[in-house]
Amino acid sequence: MFSVSALVRLYRYPIIGHLAQRMVLRRGADIPRSVKIGHRVSFPHNALGTVLHPGTTLEDYVKVYQNVTIGRGNIWLDYHAESRLRFTVKMGAILCAGCKIICSEDELVVGKTR
């Protein structure tokens, strides 16, 4: 059986990526195909219960544990306002179990900036 990390790496391929996303959803994680995944990003414990916003970027060597949520803070935003939301998790960051990252405006950067 494939791990969530292996399935997410298949997202870049058109047909296989769609099937991989469905398999990730069946494993209990909501990781959209629009999420930008860097090199060697891992999902220990198969990301059970993890939900990522479509505008998320995970840079290289990020670890995302179970029950992590990255999402919008204002549920009443219309679609156009939400499309501006961006989340960037910088290189080497570790998002521990149960981590919640919520933003309601523009861009939120998590991790060490240069």
Side-chain angles (χ1 to χ4, degrees):
M1 194 55 92
F2 293 106
S3 68
V4 169
S5 297
L7 290 169
V8 168
R9 282 192 289 276
L10 295 174
Y11 277 15
R12 67 182 133 208
Y13 303 107
I15 295 171
I16 295 172
H18 179 71
L19 295 173
Q21 183 185 16
R22 297 202 50 160
M23 290 176 72
V24 167
L25 279 169
R26 291 185 59 85
R27 290 191 169 210
D30 186 2
I31 304 170
R33 290 182 66 193
S34 61
V35 172
K36 294 179 179 87
I37 308 285
H39 180 69
R40 307 259 318 198
V41 171
S42 64
F43 297 91
H45 307 292
N46 280 323
L48 183 65
T50 295
V51 179
L52 302 182
H53 186 273
T56 302
T57 299
L58 303 175
E59 291 187 355
D60 300 341
Y61 303 103
V62 170
K63 286 188 180 186
V64 181
Y65 283 86
Q66 70 274 15
N67 292 318
V68 169
T69 300
I70 298 178
R72 62 184 179 156
N74 185 348
I75 61 172
W76 293 281
L77 285 177
D78 63 353
Y79 176 76
H80 298 294
E82 182 184 353
S83 65
R84 290 192 316 246
L85 281 178
R86 295 285 177 250
F87 299 87
T88 302
V89 181
K90 298 302 254 181
M91 184 171 88
I94 298 173
L95 302 179
C96 293
C99 172
K100 308 298 183 231
I101 300 171
I102 308 297
C103 180
S104 59
E105 294 181 17
D106 299 331
E107 183 174 6
L108 178 67
V109 178
V110 177
K112 186 176 182 179
T113 57
R114 295 179 171 97

